[in-house]
Amino acid sequence: MSDSKLNASIEAIKYIKPKIDFNSIIGVGTGSTVNYFIEELAKIKNLFKGAVSSSEASTKLLEEHGIEVFELNDINEIVVYVDGADEVDPSSNLIKGGGGAHTREKIVASASNEFICIVDESKLVEVLGSFPLPLEVMTKSRSYVAREMVKLGGVPELRKDFLTDQDNQILDVKDLKITDPLKMEQAINLIPGVLDNGIFARCRPQKVIVGRA
Ligand code: 5RP
Protein backbone atom coordinates (compact mmCIF):
# COMPACT_ATOMS: atom_id res chain seq x y z
CA MET A 1 0.00 0.00 0.00
CA SER A 2 2.72 2.47 0.95
CA ASP A 3 4.55 1.69 -2.33
CA SER A 4 1.34 2.55 -4.22
CA LYS A 5 0.98 5.84 -2.36
CA LEU A 6 4.63 6.71 -3.00
CA ASN A 7 4.32 5.82 -6.70
CA ALA A 8 1.20 7.99 -7.08
CA SER A 9 3.10 10.86 -5.44
CA ILE A 10 6.11 10.44 -7.73
CA GLU A 11 3.81 10.50 -10.78
CA ALA A 12 2.09 13.63 -9.46
CA ILE A 13 5.44 15.41 -9.16
CA LYS A 14 6.32 14.41 -12.76
CA TYR A 15 2.93 15.78 -13.88
CA ILE A 16 3.12 19.14 -12.08
CA LYS A 17 6.83 19.88 -12.65
CA PRO A 18 6.38 21.36 -16.17
CA LYS A 19 3.48 23.53 -14.91
CA ILE A 20 5.31 25.38 -12.12
CA ASP A 21 7.81 28.22 -11.88
CA PHE A 22 9.45 30.27 -9.11
CA ASN A 23 6.24 32.22 -8.50
CA SER A 24 3.98 29.19 -8.28
CA ILE A 25 1.86 28.31 -5.28
CA ILE A 26 0.86 24.66 -4.93
CA GLY A 27 -2.24 23.55 -3.03
CA VAL A 28 -1.62 20.63 -0.70
CA GLY A 29 -4.25 18.26 0.70
CA THR A 30 -4.20 16.02 3.77
CA GLY A 31 -3.68 12.37 4.62
CA SER A 32 -1.17 9.54 4.44
CA THR A 33 -0.91 9.65 0.62
CA VAL A 34 -0.34 13.40 0.69
CA ASN A 35 2.36 12.89 3.33
CA TYR A 36 4.31 10.93 0.70
CA PHE A 37 3.61 13.71 -1.80
CA ILE A 38 5.00 16.33 0.61
CA GLU A 39 8.23 14.29 0.93
CA GLU A 40 8.56 14.30 -2.88
CA LEU A 41 7.59 17.97 -3.15
CA ALA A 42 10.35 18.90 -0.72
CA LYS A 43 12.88 17.50 -3.21
CA ILE A 44 11.87 20.20 -5.75
CA LYS A 45 11.17 23.03 -3.29
CA ASN A 46 13.61 25.35 -5.09
CA LEU A 47 11.37 25.23 -8.20
CA PHE A 48 8.28 26.95 -6.71
CA LYS A 49 7.37 29.70 -4.24
CA GLY A 50 5.33 27.90 -1.61
CA ALA A 51 2.11 26.13 -0.68
CA VAL A 52 -1.42 26.68 0.53
CA SER A 53 -2.31 23.92 2.95
CA SER A 54 -5.67 22.28 3.68
CA SER A 55 -4.96 21.35 7.32
CA GLU A 56 -2.82 22.07 10.34
CA ALA A 57 -1.22 18.61 9.99
CA SER A 58 -0.09 19.28 6.41
CA THR A 59 1.07 22.80 7.32
CA LYS A 60 3.31 21.34 10.02
CA LEU A 61 4.80 18.76 7.65
CA LEU A 62 5.33 21.30 4.86
CA GLU A 63 7.09 23.69 7.23
CA GLU A 64 9.23 20.90 8.66
CA HIS A 65 10.39 20.29 5.08
CA GLY A 66 11.25 23.97 4.57
CA ILE A 67 8.30 24.76 2.28
CA GLU A 68 6.73 28.16 2.98
CA VAL A 69 2.99 28.00 3.70
CA PHE A 70 0.76 30.92 2.71
CA GLU A 71 -2.78 31.79 3.81
CA LEU A 72 -5.37 31.23 1.10
CA ASN A 73 -6.62 34.80 1.66
CA ASP A 74 -3.22 36.17 0.68
CA ILE A 75 -2.91 34.23 -2.57
CA ASN A 76 -4.40 35.09 -5.98
CA GLU A 77 -3.61 31.92 -7.86
CA ILE A 78 -2.96 28.27 -6.99
CA VAL A 79 -1.53 26.51 -10.03
CA VAL A 80 -2.43 23.02 -8.95
CA TYR A 81 -3.98 21.26 -5.92
CA VAL A 82 -2.91 17.72 -5.02
CA ASP A 83 -4.89 15.59 -2.58
CA GLY A 84 -5.89 12.00 -1.78
CA ALA A 85 -9.38 10.50 -1.45
CA ASP A 86 -11.24 7.78 0.40
CA GLU A 87 -13.27 6.67 -2.65
CA VAL A 88 -13.15 7.49 -6.38
CA ASP A 89 -15.92 6.48 -8.79
CA PRO A 90 -15.54 6.03 -12.59
CA SER A 91 -16.61 9.67 -13.20
CA SER A 92 -13.98 10.95 -10.73
CA ASN A 93 -16.57 11.83 -8.09
CA LEU A 94 -14.92 11.46 -4.68
CA ILE A 95 -15.61 10.80 -1.05
CA LYS A 96 -13.10 12.62 1.13
CA GLY A 97 -12.85 13.56 4.79
CA GLY A 98 -11.46 10.37 6.30
CA GLY A 99 -9.02 12.73 8.02
CA GLY A 100 -11.77 15.25 8.78
CA ALA A 101 -10.20 17.98 6.64
CA HIS A 102 -12.64 17.95 3.70
CA THR A 103 -14.14 21.43 4.28
CA ARG A 104 -10.82 23.22 3.84
CA GLU A 105 -9.78 20.70 1.19
CA LYS A 106 -12.83 21.56 -0.91
CA ILE A 107 -12.15 25.29 -0.56
CA VAL A 108 -8.51 24.99 -1.66
CA ALA A 109 -9.40 22.54 -4.45
CA SER A 110 -12.08 24.94 -5.73
CA ALA A 111 -9.68 27.88 -5.62
CA SER A 112 -7.05 26.05 -7.70
CA ASN A 113 -6.58 26.02 -11.47
CA GLU A 114 -6.32 22.23 -11.52
CA PHE A 115 -7.10 19.43 -9.03
CA ILE A 116 -5.01 16.25 -9.12
CA CYS A 117 -6.16 13.32 -6.99
CA ILE A 118 -3.60 10.71 -5.91
CA VAL A 119 -4.84 7.33 -4.68
CA ASP A 120 -3.92 3.67 -4.50
CA GLU A 121 -6.08 1.05 -6.23
CA SER A 122 -8.05 0.24 -3.07
CA LYS A 123 -9.84 3.60 -3.37
CA LEU A 124 -11.47 2.82 -6.75
CA VAL A 125 -15.21 1.96 -6.48
CA GLU A 126 -18.16 1.61 -8.87
CA VAL A 127 -20.59 3.57 -6.64
CA LEU A 128 -19.67 5.91 -3.77
CA GLY A 129 -20.92 5.12 -0.28
CA SER A 130 -19.21 2.06 1.16
CA PHE A 131 -16.90 4.48 2.95
CA PRO A 132 -19.01 6.31 5.57
CA LEU A 133 -19.63 9.86 4.35
CA PRO A 134 -18.03 12.48 6.64
CA LEU A 135 -20.03 15.63 7.44
CA GLU A 136 -18.42 18.54 9.29
CA VAL A 137 -21.15 19.90 11.57
CA MET A 138 -21.37 22.70 14.07
CA THR A 139 -21.42 21.08 17.49
CA LYS A 140 -24.78 22.58 18.47
CA SER A 141 -26.47 21.29 15.31
CA ARG A 142 -25.15 17.69 15.59
CA SER A 143 -28.36 15.93 16.70
CA TYR A 144 -30.60 17.83 14.28
CA VAL A 145 -28.28 17.08 11.33
CA ALA A 146 -28.12 13.42 12.40
CA ARG A 147 -31.95 13.16 12.32
CA GLU A 148 -32.03 14.78 8.85
CA MET A 149 -29.46 12.25 7.62
CA VAL A 150 -31.63 9.38 8.87
CA LYS A 151 -34.45 10.83 6.70
CA LEU A 152 -32.05 10.60 3.71
CA GLY A 153 -31.53 6.89 4.48
CA GLY A 154 -28.21 7.14 6.29
CA VAL A 155 -26.93 5.87 9.63
CA PRO A 156 -24.94 8.68 11.25
CA GLU A 157 -22.30 8.11 13.88
CA LEU A 158 -20.41 10.81 15.78
CA ARG A 159 -16.63 10.54 15.26
CA LYS A 160 -15.42 10.06 18.84
CA ASP A 161 -12.77 12.26 20.47
CA PHE A 162 -12.32 14.27 17.28
CA LEU A 163 -12.57 17.97 16.49
CA THR A 164 -11.74 19.50 13.11
CA ASP A 165 -9.17 22.27 12.68
CA GLN A 166 -12.18 24.63 12.85
CA ASP A 167 -13.32 23.09 16.21
CA ASN A 168 -16.36 21.38 14.72
CA GLN A 169 -17.47 17.75 14.97
CA ILE A 170 -17.68 15.03 12.30
CA LEU A 171 -20.68 12.79 11.66
CA ASP A 172 -19.74 9.69 9.65
CA VAL A 173 -22.82 8.55 7.76
CA LYS A 174 -23.09 4.88 6.74
CA ASP A 175 -25.47 3.15 4.31
CA LEU A 176 -26.07 6.08 1.95
CA LYS A 177 -26.71 5.04 -1.64
CA ILE A 178 -24.88 7.77 -3.52
CA THR A 179 -26.12 7.07 -7.06
CA ASP A 180 -26.29 10.81 -7.87
CA PRO A 181 -23.25 12.33 -6.10
CA LEU A 182 -23.91 15.94 -7.20
CA LYS A 183 -27.54 15.86 -6.02
CA MET A 184 -26.56 14.23 -2.70
CA GLU A 185 -23.70 16.69 -2.13
CA GLN A 186 -26.02 19.65 -2.65
CA ALA A 187 -28.92 18.20 -0.64
CA ILE A 188 -26.76 17.54 2.42
CA ASN A 189 -25.13 20.96 2.27
CA LEU A 190 -28.58 22.58 2.40
CA ILE A 191 -29.14 21.18 5.93
CA PRO A 192 -28.52 24.07 8.37
CA GLY A 193 -25.53 23.30 10.59
CA VAL A 194 -23.62 21.33 7.96
CA LEU A 195 -20.37 23.10 7.11
CA ASP A 196 -19.64 20.74 4.23
CA ASN A 197 -19.84 17.06 3.38
CA GLY A 198 -17.14 14.84 1.92
CA ILE A 199 -18.68 14.34 -1.54
CA PHE A 200 -16.58 16.06 -4.21
CA ALA A 201 -18.91 16.07 -7.23
CA ARG A 202 -19.22 19.78 -8.01
CA CYS A 203 -15.47 20.10 -7.55
CA ARG A 204 -14.02 16.93 -9.11
CA PRO A 205 -10.37 16.32 -9.94
CA GLN A 206 -9.35 16.92 -13.55
CA LYS A 207 -6.90 14.06 -13.19
CA VAL A 208 -6.78 10.95 -10.97
CA ILE A 209 -3.40 9.27 -10.57
CA VAL A 210 -3.71 5.66 -9.37
CA GLY A 211 -0.51 4.40 -7.79
CA ARG A 212 0.27 0.68 -8.01
CA ALA A 213 2.79 -1.32 -6.03
C1 5RP B 1 -8.60 13.88 4.58
C2 5RP B 1 -8.90 13.25 3.29
C3 5RP B 1 -7.87 12.32 2.73
O1 5RP B 1 -7.50 12.76 1.48
C4 5RP B 1 -8.46 10.96 2.62
O2 5RP B 1 -8.94 10.56 3.90
C5 5RP B 1 -7.44 9.93 2.12
O3 5RP B 1 -6.46 9.74 3.09
P1 5RP B 1 -5.31 8.69 2.91
O4 5RP B 1 -4.40 9.20 1.83
O5 5RP B 1 -4.64 8.66 4.27
O6 5RP B 1 -5.93 7.36 2.57
O7 5RP B 1 -9.90 13.46 2.66
O8 5RP B 1 -9.68 14.66 5.01
Side-chain angles (χ1 to χ4, degrees):
M1 192 78 84
S2 54
D3 278 353
S4 313
K5 293 178 182 188
L6 173 61
N7 288 339
S9 302
I10 291 170
E11 284 307 310
I13 295 287
K14 280 188 207 160
Y15 181 78
I16 67 172
K17 221 169 149 183
K19 297 172 183 266
I20 55 175
D21 61 31
F22 303 118
N23 291 315
S24 297
I25 299 291
I26 297 172
V28 177
T30 302
S32 58
T33 315
V34 165
N35 291 348
Y36 283 97
F37 174 72
I38 292 173
E39 302 277 339
E40 296 307 306
L41 196 60
K43 295 177 186 168
I44 59 159
K45 66 182 174 196
N46 54 333
L47 298 184
F48 62 96
K49 186 173 177 188
V52 166
S53 168
S54 63
S55 67
E56 299 309 312
S58 289
T59 297
K60 186 167 178 286
L61 200 56
L62 285 160
E63 288 178 341
E64 280 171 5
H65 282 82
I67 297 170
E68 190 171 356
V69 178
F70 293 86
E71 283 295 323
L72 179 61
N73 283 329
D74 297 332
I75 293 299
N76 290 326
E77 188 182 24
I78 300 172
V79 182
V80 62
Y81 175 70
V82 180
D83 199 356
D86 299 299
E87 285 187 345
V88 184
D89 81 5
S91 303
S92 302
N93 297 294
L94 313 177
I95 285 186
K96 289 184 46 56
H102 59 275
T103 300
R104 261 171 79 186
E105 290 171 342
K106 202 180 283 185
I107 295 168
V108 184
S110 302
S112 301
N113 295 352
E114 191 175 358
F115 175 10
I116 311 299
C117 184
I118 50 173
V119 290
D120 60 77
E121 277 177 288
S122 71
K123 307 293 181 66
L124 302 179
V125 299
E126 279 306 312
V127 179
L128 300 179
S130 298
F131 190 92
L133 178 66
L135 271 56
E136 180 168 0
V137 295
M138 290 179 66
T139 305
K140 289 184 192 306
S141 70
R142 178 186 66 215
S143 301
Y144 165 68
V145 173
R147 288 195 295 278
E148 292 298 300
M149 291 311 298
V150 171
K151 287 183 198 164
L152 288 176
V155 179
E157 200 171 287
L158 181 67
R159 196 176 293 184
K160 292 212 170 56
D161 301 322
F162 184 87
L163 280 182
T164 67
D165 287 345
Q166 294 74 239
D167 283 337
N168 296 307
Q169 289 180 306
I170 295 282
L171 287 176
D172 291 303
V173 186
K174 289 188 225 154
D175 291 350
L176 285 173
K177 287 189 183 57
I178 310 179
T179 48
D180 188 338
L182 184 59
K183 201 169 159 192
M184 183 69 89
E185 179 182 12
Q186 289 171 339
I188 295 172
N189 280 357
L190 284 177
I191 301 170
V194 174
L195 270 296
D196 210 334
N197 72 83
I199 301 175
F200 282 54
R202 200 182 72 80
C203 172
R204 283 180 297 157
Q206 281 77 37
K207 187 172 180 67
V208 177
I209 296 176
V210 183
R212 293 170 210 274

